[in-house]
Amino acid sequence: MSHIIIRGGRRLEGALTVQGAKNSVLPILAATILHPGQTVLQGCPHLSDVEASIRILRHLGCKARWEGEALVVDAGSMSRRDIPDHLMREMRSSVIFLGAILARLGRAEMSYPGGCELGPRPIDLHLTALRQLGAELREEGGRLRCTAQRMAGREIALSIPSVGATENVILAACGAEGETTIFNAAREPEIADLQAFLRAMGCQVRGAGSSTVCVAGRRPTRDAVHTVMPDRIAAATYLAAVAAAGGQVELHRVNYRHLSTVTAALHGAGCQITGGEGRVVLRSDGALRSAGTVRTAPYPGFPTDAQAVLMAALLRGQGATVFVENIFENRYRHVDELCRMGADISVADRVAVVTGVPRLYGADVRATDLRGGAALLVAGLIADGTTRIGDIHHIQRGYEDPVRDLAALGADIALEEPPPAAHQ
Ligand code: UD1
């Protein structure tokens, strides 16, 4: 098992280019199968979740190959409509393939998705909406069997602005006859990026980024070249790291507007932040104060995915910060690990109160989930001594190479690989 080793106490200085967005590229990879032709995705991040999507694409009969930073997918040879259980378990976003396979082939078979480490993550909204479009869904032996010989566009109101359900319905609606209108759609920028990709393929989608999205059922007509939007959560992670460690860092390839609630919280905690076209600069003396109360909410609210890294940044801040997690039930699993490092955090249901302590201590800790793992990276940078992070496969799901990036900024950080297995 690999570990990340951090010796805390270094200031961070320099510049970084932010990777393409995980939460954008995963639904786009599912969307590539709508078109029996070729897609070129530029700025595609090298992540284990992307590799998991590639395994699904190849299982379905599509071709996928890397050309440097670009991933080229050819879905012309797609021949299967099922996703086996072991591939579904690898990540939750695999469920977005459901709408896409139905739109392309009219039938799909898969099990329930994995990746449910944040409390219950049902897919009831996805399934209800697909039924409304005319899909018949049966559950047999833990497998979902879906048939949709003819889907018809209609009005669909989501009871929660679910990101995944919005994406699944958009993809299915591309294969339906007539117009679908989604009310109470999630407004995350990644959905607008999916729309940009679909439009590049010739689909008719409008409204993404607002709470009403319209899809005129129309199959893709052309090969597309698309550049994946920058990852606002990776950007938030690096901003939190510099805020905590102190120093000055310029991030390139960011959309400053997508980060507004994160930068507002960091500004409230005492950082100086300026942003412009494609860049953001953060300066911090490392002596943070409370960020007040941080409530996670659907976009444009404070992202649940940035809750853990902001919490880690404030562990040595002056005063108490209150976090209210409104999206997921079980999103404080990183708290126990942070407390092993000397943090003072009390959790009651959806509320966590972080009281700044003068010192944190390096410890052996484990990444409990993707963003919880990123929080340990931030905490390690401001802890005395050595922090050794295990279960880093969680971190690798969403960060291309955090060791490379943080080392480039001056952190004392390294990847510790297991010794090669002895030959028998
Ligand atoms: C996406 C993001 C994830 C982020 C989350 C919230 C991707 C690949 N993942 O996840 O990083 O943390 O949005 O911003 O884009 N819900 C239901 N029934 C459903 C669907 C969702 O009750 O059928 C609930 C969930 O349990 C959760 C809330 O709705 O409490 C929001 O979930 P959702 O927006 O669907 O998140 P994901 O798409 O899974």
Side-chain angles (χ1 to χ4, degrees):
M1 294 272 277
S2 303
H3 289 79
I4 293 176
I5 312 293
I6 308 175
R7 288 175 199 85
R10 296 268 191 98
R11 288 169 70 82
L12 302 182
E13 308 279 347
L16 268 189
T17 300
V18 174
Q19 68 188 47
K22 170 181 92 74
N23 287 355
S24 171
V25 76
L26 299 181
I28 287 176
L29 285 171
T32 60
I33 68 173
L34 293 180
H35 173 51
Q38 183 170 286
T39 293
V40 179
L41 288 180
Q42 288 167 339
C44 184
H46 288 256
L47 303 169
S48 60
D49 270 8
V50 168
E51 294 299 333
S53 296
I54 292 174
R55 281 192 285 280
I56 291 177
L57 287 169
R58 289 187 177 143
H59 171 83
L60 294 173
C62 307
K63 298 188 181 82
R65 66 174 196 280
W66 288 98
E67 284 184 4
E69 283 292 290
L71 183 66
V72 182
V73 178
D74 189 335
S77 50
M78 179 174 172
S79 54
R80 299 185 66 120
R81 58 195 81 211
D82 68 295
I83 304 181
D85 190 52
H86 69 277
L87 293 179
M88 286 302 290
R89 281 178 190 273
E90 289 194 37
M91 59 171 182
R92 179 175 164 80
S93 352
S94 48
V95 73
I96 311 297
F97 277 91
L98 180 55
I101 299 176
L102 284 178
R104 169 89 185 261
L105 298 176
R107 273 170 63 190
E109 190 188 318
M110 60 179 58
S111 48
Y112 280 86
C116 299
E117 72 281 352
L118 309 176
R121 292 180 77 172
I123 54 168
D124 54 315
L125 299 179
H126 302 236
L127 302 186
T128 303
L130 294 176
R131 282 196 175 100
Q132 288 176 314
L133 288 177
E136 284 175 30
L137 293 111
R138 282 176 297 130
E139 203 191 321
E140 285 170 12
R143 299 281 288 169
L144 273 170
R145 291 181 212 282
C146 314
T147 319
Q149 291 314 343
R150 278 192 62 206
M151 289 191 286
R154 54 167 293 172
E155 294 188 349
I156 291 175
L158 297 176
S159 56
I160 301 173
S162 155
V163 175
T166 303
E167 293 163 345
N168 229 339
V169 177
I170 290 174
L171 297 187
C174 287
E177 279 174 28
E179 179 147 314
T180 298
T181 306
I182 309 167
F183 296 107
N184 199 27
R187 291 181 285 166
E188 268 64 3
E190 291 77 12
I191 297 172
D193 202 32
L194 174 63
Q195 170 177 282
F197 170 66
L198 290 168
R199 288 166 77 127
M201 287 204 299
C203 298
Q204 288 186 358
V205 187
R206 62 182 198 280
S210 79
S211 52
T212 306
V213 179
C214 302
V215 185
R218 183 171 164 207
R219 289 177 190 278
T221 50
R222 51 182 182 258
D223 291 353
V225 178
H226 179 77
T227 302
V228 179
M229 65 172 270
D231 194 315
R232 63 195 167 97
I233 306 302
T237 302
Y238 291 123
L239 293 179
V242 186
Q248 176 167 326
V249 168
E250 177 162 342
L251 299 184
H252 298 287
R253 198 170 182 265
V254 289
N255 187 324
Y256 186 57
R257 282 175 42 232
H258 294 165
L259 289 164
S260 60
T261 50
V262 173
T263 51
L266 290 170
H267 178 71
C271 301
Q272 292 173 39
I273 305 167
T274 51
E277 195 57 43
R279 61 190 272 279
V280 56
V281 180
L282 183 141
R283 197 160 82 211
S284 163
D285 60 10
L288 300 183
R289 53 176 184 261
S290 159
T293 300
V294 179
R295 294 182 177 81
T296 66
Y299 190 86
F302 188 91
T304 173
D305 287 350
Q307 174 252 104
V309 292
L310 179 64
M311 181 182 288
L314 294 166
L315 294 177
R316 288 180 43 198
Q318 236 183 19
T321 300
V322 178
F323 287 85
V324 185
E325 173 53 59
N326 290 312
I327 307 295
F328 291 110
E329 276 174 37
N330 187 14
R331 203 155 202 189
Y332 288 132
R333 292 181 65 200
H334 47 281
V335 164
D336 284 350
E337 301 301 306
L338 294 173
C339 289
R340 288 168 78 102
M341 300 174 70
D344 180 349
I345 309 169
S346 57
V347 174
D349 195 23
R350 288 175 178 260
V351 177
V353 180
V354 180
T355 306
V357 292
R359 307 179 77 150
L360 290 176
Y361 302 94
D364 261 30
V365 286
R366 272 186 331 105
T368 51
D369 58 83
L370 165 57
R371 306 302 170 187
L376 298 177
L377 291 173
V378 175
L381 295 171
I382 53 170
D384 293 350
T386 303
T387 297
R388 189 164 179 265
I389 307 174
D391 286 347
I392 61 171
H393 58 276
H394 288 297
I395 300 174
Q396 291 162 338
R397 287 186 43 219
Y399 295 88
E400 221 171 38
D401 196 340
V403 170
R404 171 199 66 195
D405 290 346
L406 290 169
L409 297 179
D412 185 345
I413 183 168
L415 186 66
E416 183 189 76
E417 303 272 21
H423 289 292
Q424 303 270 323

